[in-house]
Amino acid sequence: MKRIPLLVRIVLAIALGIIIGQFAPEILIEIAATFTGLFGNFLSFVIPLIILGFIAPGIASMGKGAGKMLGLTTGLAYASTVLAGTAAFLFAKNLYPSFLQGQRGGSFANPEESLVEAPFSVEMTPIMGVMAALILSFLLGVGMTAVQGDSLLHVMNEFRSIIQKVIENIIIPLLPFHIFGIFANMTYAGQVGTILSVFAKVFLMIIALHLLYLVVIYGIAGSMHGRNPFSLLKKMTPAYFTALGTQSSAATIPVTLKQVKKMGVRERVADFAVPLLANVHLAGSTITITSCAMAVMYMLGQATTFADVFPFILMVGITMIAAPGVPGGAVMAAIGLLESMLGFDSTMVSLIIALYLAQDSFGTATNVTGDGAITAIADKLMRKRKQEDIPVSGQNVG
């Protein structure tokens, strides 16, 4: 199994999930749902440990540059998210009048309600939340830098080695089975085909915007490093397809980290930036939510202006930070903003939930793949005139 490339295993898992989900008996789907539920709970438990294990020693090992790296990476992520949402608004504003001509809204149920539930589950409560893990990582990392001691750093480095073993020997080998279960359940429930048949045009436009965004962001990264952007983008395809199945940026951290290092990003920068970006960089989700919100408002005859939507884009980029670990969590986190800033009522909320969840995995995949470009850009900006003696995995990007 290890000899088969991860990308091939993921594609096979998706294809088999769709095929088997069409004729499998409910008992088989329940078994698949049980596994995905257990594995999902395990991922939720491990994710804060991954963040703590990578970010804290990453900050400490970067020394005085940690604060600058944190500010730079976060700033790049937020700018990317806001610009992506703005582009989505402009495209939707100009294309929907022709794309959605004659379309009218209706009542749609939450598609998650049609999924087969696991007959049992085992609660695996994380020892801390994602935000708590981020804050603790920053405190420990900056603290280790300030006291300039090696004892705690040695412990954190050993802890990171343990987490790496968990990733390599448990998470990555089981990911394809997790993805198979998710797609088999979605296919058995019939939610994918039904929702896509209603929102096909909007769906295709969103996917096109995702791809356009990735081409632009990797074009920037490639030009900064003097590399072919499509070559860099190709290295991130395993992370893209993993996120496509897991629907979680945080759950895809192990694969993202592996592929970013293959791009040649310095190991210290990758270990610090990738877990951070999985929680703060949501360009794909912002494209999706903005496009979905515009579609719902257009179908219900509600006029929109840039002045109405731009403050929403600014806020949604911050609000969704708590959502990457939960499939579909971004739209749930944004519901309060949709109601308070865009005036969505219960009918409009149900519409956007249905439209968003139909392609949630593609938005997440765009977030994850974009993380690679943001990390490469940050790596280039952080390089000093004199190169540091830092070991990297693979060929240097720059």
Side-chain angles (χ1 to χ4, degrees):
M1 190 70 170
K2 291 184 178 180
R3 295 181 180 179
I4 303 176
L6 179 61
L7 178 59
V8 175
R9 283 182 276 160
I10 292 169
V11 172
L12 286 175
I14 293 173
L16 288 174
I18 294 174
I19 293 171
I20 294 176
Q22 296 180 17
F23 59 82
E26 185 171 351
I27 183 64
L28 181 59
I29 303 301
E30 287 182 351
I31 294 173
T34 301
F35 175 81
T36 57
L38 293 173
F39 188 76
N41 289 343
F42 178 72
L43 279 178
S44 298
F45 178 83
V46 173
I47 284 166
L49 303 180
I50 293 175
I51 293 171
L52 185 62
F54 284 124
I55 293 183
I59 293 175
S61 64
M62 292 179 69
K64 295 180 180 179
K68 182 179 179 182
M69 183 65 186
L70 173 61
L72 176 64
T73 305
T74 304
L76 287 172
Y78 187 67
S80 171
T81 299
V82 171
L83 291 174
T86 302
F89 167 83
L90 295 174
F91 274 88
K93 186 71 173 177
N94 289 282
L95 295 180
Y96 281 173
S98 57
F99 273 22
L100 303 180
Q101 188 174 8
Q103 296 285 345
R104 294 182 179 179
S107 297
F108 294 86
N110 187 335
E112 286 191 325
E113 295 177 357
S114 60
L115 291 178
V116 174
E117 295 184 1
F120 74 92
S121 64
V122 177
E123 189 68 27
M124 304 179 196
T125 305
I127 59 175
M128 66 184 74
V130 168
M131 291 305 298
L134 282 170
I135 295 171
L136 181 59
S137 297
F138 297 150
L139 289 175
L140 289 175
V142 174
M144 286 185 285
T145 301
V147 301
Q148 297 181 348
D150 295 330
S151 299
L152 183 56
L153 179 59
H154 180 71
V155 172
M156 292 305 300
N157 283 333
E158 287 193 351
F159 179 67
R160 176 168 59 183
S161 298
I162 294 172
I163 296 301
Q164 286 177 334
K165 292 294 184 181
V166 172
I167 290 170
E168 294 170 0
N169 298 323
I170 299 177
I171 295 178
I172 289 183
L174 292 180
L175 266 178
F177 299 98
H178 179 57
I179 292 171
F180 165 80
I182 291 173
F183 273 83
N185 200 339
M186 292 175 64
T187 304
Y188 180 83
Q191 62 165 263
V192 175
T194 301
I195 296 173
L196 294 186
S197 66
V198 177
F199 297 116
K201 294 180 180 179
V202 177
F203 180 89
L204 291 175
M205 194 201 80
I206 291 172
I207 302 304
L209 284 176
H210 287 163
L211 296 177
L212 178 61
Y213 162 80
L214 291 176
V215 170
V216 171
I217 195 70
Y218 274 90
I220 295 172
S223 64
M224 292 180 67
H225 292 286
R227 295 280 299 277
N228 184 336
F230 293 101
S231 175
L232 297 178
L233 188 55
K234 183 179 178 181
K235 292 182 183 297
M236 291 299 296
T237 51
Y240 181 93
F241 283 99
T242 299
L244 201 65
T246 63
Q247 297 179 281
S248 170
S249 297
T252 314
I253 287 175
V255 180
T256 309
L257 191 61
K258 179 180 178 181
Q259 298 308 123
V260 167
K261 290 179 180 179
K262 284 186 176 181
M263 288 170 56
V265 173
R266 290 177 295 177
E267 187 170 353
R268 292 182 183 179
V269 175
D271 287 348
F272 172 79
V274 170
L276 175 64
L277 289 170
N279 293 278
V280 302
H281 183 229
L282 296 126
S285 296
T286 304
I287 288 173
T288 301
I289 286 184
T290 303
S291 300
C292 292
M294 292 289 291
V296 170
M297 288 187 287
Y298 180 84
M299 288 189 290
L300 296 182
Q302 182 174 325
T304 56
T305 64
F306 182 69
D308 296 327
V309 178
F310 187 63
F312 168 78
I313 295 172
L314 293 176
M315 288 301 300
V316 83
I318 299 173
T319 304
M320 290 192 301
I321 287 177
V326 183
V331 69
M332 302 303 172
I335 285 176
L337 296 177
L338 290 167
E339 293 175 339
S340 62
M341 300 187 72
L342 298 183
F344 273 43
D345 57 23
S346 58
T347 300
M348 298 171 76
V349 167
S350 65
L351 275 168
I352 198 169
I353 289 174
L355 180 53
Y356 182 90
L357 291 179
Q359 61 70 74
D360 178 33
S361 55
F362 289 93
T364 302
T366 302
N367 294 339
V368 166
T369 310
D371 291 350
I374 297 295
T375 304
I377 293 171
D379 183 36
K380 183 65 175 181
L381 294 176
M382 284 296 296
R383 289 178 184 269
K384 298 179 180 179
R385 292 183 180 180
K386 287 186 177 181
Q387 292 290 331
E388 296 175 323
D389 185 19
I390 300 176
V392 297
S393 177
Q395 183 182 357
N396 283 339
V397 176

